[in-house]
Amino acid sequence: WLIVVVGVMSTMYAKIDPSLGVIAKINRTLDATGYLSSRTQNVVSGVLFGTGLWVALIVTMRYSLKVLLSYHGWMFAEHSKMSRATKIWMMMVRVFSGRKTMLYSFQTSLPRLPVPAVQDTVSRYLEPVKPLMKEAEFKRMTALAQDFAVSLGPRLQWYLKLKSWWATNYVSDWWEEYIYLRGRGPLMVNSNYYAMDLLYITPTHIQAARAGNGIHAILLYRRKLDREEIKPILLGSTVPLCSAQWERMFNTSRIPGEETDTI
């Protein structure tokens, strides 16, 4: 922001208008108030225009990166046989990503989870269940699936598309509640993660010392997390993954319930 504002102010003092008349309009608006001197008006106008220009650049870069990340052709490219279009795409993603990326730098640029067509969902459901059913059962399931695709499916699809517009991932809250929080299996091996200090080396047999070392390491990690010094996970050093999982790594508890837990 400061670099953009200083650049705008420098061009103004060099008698060059980088705003194509926008700064002059801001000046006239401020002049109508009668509270600011001419010099102060120029400074305020330059700062306002520079701030607006900086915001416009940030929004443009984020939207451009979101559009670039919506491309999925790189997933189907053969290893070590990348097309020229994919190479150009990767180069553009790296340019718009910036040089110094932080943990949550890509969160606002990640594309929304697309809503598949009803028929695609039905086909993907029938394909894996076919080996698990007898022929008569599969025919009955196929008839039920096709009936769903033409009756209830389109209406539910419309609701799902509405949700996809205001939620970046329309599955996350359902997955969290019905798969994670309502799961009644043991948490230690099925859901929660845990940490150990050392596996094959025991620097000391004093339990308090080992516990203190573990706590110290956890707090160091939390310090990096709070400062967003942890690098986001990148596929192929280019495509970022969502970092939302880190937001509740600390200061979050899962409170047990009879049918469903709460966070």
Side-chain angles (χ1 to χ4, degrees), residues 56 60-61 72 119 146 150 160-161 194 199 205 232 234 242:
T60 301
M61 290 188 65
H72 299 145
Q119 193 59 48
Q146 295 301 331
V150 298
L160 199 58
K161 285 185 177 180
Y194 57 94
L199 289 177
H205 293 282
L234 302 177
C242 181

Side-chain angles (χ1 to χ4, degrees), residues 56-70:
L57 289 174
I58 294 298
V59 172
T60 301
M61 290 188 65
R62 287 182 177 178
Y63 183 77
S64 300
L65 184 59
K66 178 178 289 189
V67 173
L68 288 171
L69 293 176
S70 299

Side-chain angles (χ1 to χ4, degrees), residues 143-171:
L144 291 174
Q146 295 301 331
D147 179 68
F148 171 81
V150 298
S151 58
L152 184 60
R155 186 172 63 178
L156 296 178
Q157 181 82 349
W158 185 75
Y159 292 145
L160 199 58
K161 285 185 177 180
L162 286 180
K163 184 180 180 181
S164 68
W165 279 104
W166 58 265
T168 54
N169 190 325
Y170 57 87
V171 180

Side-chain angles (χ1 to χ4, degrees), residues 9 16 43 60 65 78 97 121 133 148 177 187 222 234:
M9 299 300 296
I16 301 175
V43 173
T60 301
L65 184 59
E78 295 184 21
S97 297
T121 302
M133 295 182 176
F148 171 81
E177 179 178 357
L187 297 181
R222 175 170 182 168
L234 302 177

Side-chain angles (χ1 to χ4, degrees), residues 43-95:
V43 173
V44 173
S45 300
V47 171
L48 290 177
F49 175 77
T51 302
L53 180 61
W54 176 76
V55 171
L57 289 174
I58 294 298
V59 172
T60 301
M61 290 188 65
R62 287 182 177 178
Y63 183 77
S64 300
L65 184 59
K66 178 178 289 189
V67 173
L68 288 171
L69 293 176
S70 299
Y71 170 73
H72 299 145
W74 62 274
M75 296 182 181
F76 309 101
E78 295 184 21
H79 185 65
S80 71
K81 291 183 180 180
M82 194 177 300
S83 64
R84 181 179 299 178
T86 303
K87 291 181 180 179
I88 295 175
W89 170 80
M90 294 183 68
M91 182 180 64
M92 293 181 65
V93 169
R94 290 172 181 172
V95 169

